[in-house]
Amino acid sequence: MFELRTPRLVLRDWLPEDLPTVRALAGDERVTRYQTWLRLDESEAACQHWLEEAIKHNSADPRSAYSLAMVDHSNYHAVGWLNWGDAEDASRGDVSFGYALLPELWGRGYMTEAVEAMLAFVFDIQPRVSIYATCATSNRASARVLEKAGLHLVDRWMHRDEALGIEEALGIEEEYRCYSLRRSEWRPEPRTTNGKTERLTG
């Protein structure tokens, strides 16, 4: 099983027993407002299918994507999702990524910690040349995660939430942003835990 470790998290492949976390993410409008991939019908069957597909894609050989559960060290519960893989738009970078976190853990730095670990793997281990992510300008929390992880704002455009193929499209038109980072620009940030300085690595 693939995994990355940070001071507070284990980022690992999804397991069948992570279904409650998928249901919690898919069932919270604060999450699905911006994360269209989790706009499921909230039924156990739909969430089960999503999880099975993630596990199947993770087992592909060669592997082109990493759909990971974010697991809290303190209680071993999955608390979020981090996904990266071959870029959806190659003109923006080699790799694109997205994420979601249970709202009760927002504002504690977990997502930035996870993204920094991902960057270490993408640039040091794979290694890839560039990476990007997009978010709505109104989603300031997500933009702060990207900025704190060292990505740079490179583009803005207007986007309508059509969520192609998903009945729950919101039809909201708003500004979106693209943040990107090249391997040559990346500088891993040290973190201090229990008085010891660590560097995040894959």
Side-chain angles (χ1 to χ4, degrees):
M1 174 184 290
F2 177 87
E3 69 174 36
L4 299 175
R5 290 182 175 269
T6 78
R8 296 181 294 174
L9 299 167
V10 177
L11 311 176
R12 59 152 172 80
D13 287 334
W14 287 103
L15 297 172
E17 53 263 38
D18 296 322
L19 180 59
T21 300
V22 176
R23 294 192 70 181
L25 291 168
D28 196 308
E29 292 182 356
R30 294 169 293 178
V31 174
T32 59
R33 162 68 174 86
Y34 296 110
Q35 186 45 269
T36 60
W37 289 105
L38 289 168
R39 287 185 193 164
L40 312 176
D41 65 12
E42 301 180 34
S43 70
E44 183 167 349
C47 294
Q48 180 73 49
H49 177 72
W50 186 97
L51 183 57
E52 289 173 354
E53 286 296 300
I55 293 172
K56 181 177 74 174
H57 285 295
N58 283 342
S59 64
D61 185 18
R63 185 169 185 170
S64 62
Y66 294 77
S67 180
L68 306 182
M70 296 171 52
V71 180
D72 190 334
H73 274 313
S74 67
N75 56 24
Y76 303 104
H77 292 161
V79 297
W81 170 52
L82 175 63
N83 178 80
W84 75 88
D86 293 342
E88 296 179 358
D89 181 351
S91 69
R92 296 188 183 276
D94 296 333
V95 178
S96 59
F97 70 98
Y99 45 78
L101 183 68
L102 293 175
E104 55 263 35
L105 295 178
W106 290 358
R108 301 186 190 180
Y110 282 98
M111 204 67 252
T112 301
E113 190 172 313
V115 169
E116 288 173 346
M118 176 203 65
L119 293 176
F121 179 80
V122 167
F123 288 139
D124 277 351
I125 308 300
Q126 287 194 293
R128 305 297 286 270
V129 173
S130 57
I131 192 168
Y132 75 92
T134 64
C135 72
T137 297
S138 61
N139 190 357
R140 286 302 305 150
S142 186
R144 283 195 297 271
V145 166
L146 300 174
E147 291 162 359
K148 287 170 64 177
L151 281 80
H152 313 296
L153 176 63
V154 295
D155 195 14
R156 301 171 187 253
W157 68 96
M158 295 303 293
H159 171 76
R160 179 175 293 277
D161 183 345
E162 300 290 3
L164 187 63
I166 301 174
E167 292 182 0
E168 292 79 6
L170 302 180
I172 298 171
E173 185 172 9
E174 60 184 324
E175 183 183 78
Y176 265 66
R177 300 179 175 192
C178 178
Y179 289 85
S180 71
L181 185 67
R182 298 185 64 81
R183 186 168 183 261
S184 60
E185 302 169 321
W186 177 67
R187 297 292 182 272
E189 294 295 330
R191 284 188 175 273
T192 300
T193 306
N194 296 327
K196 297 181 180 180
T197 299
E198 307 176 5
R199 286 192 178 273
L200 298 177
T201 58

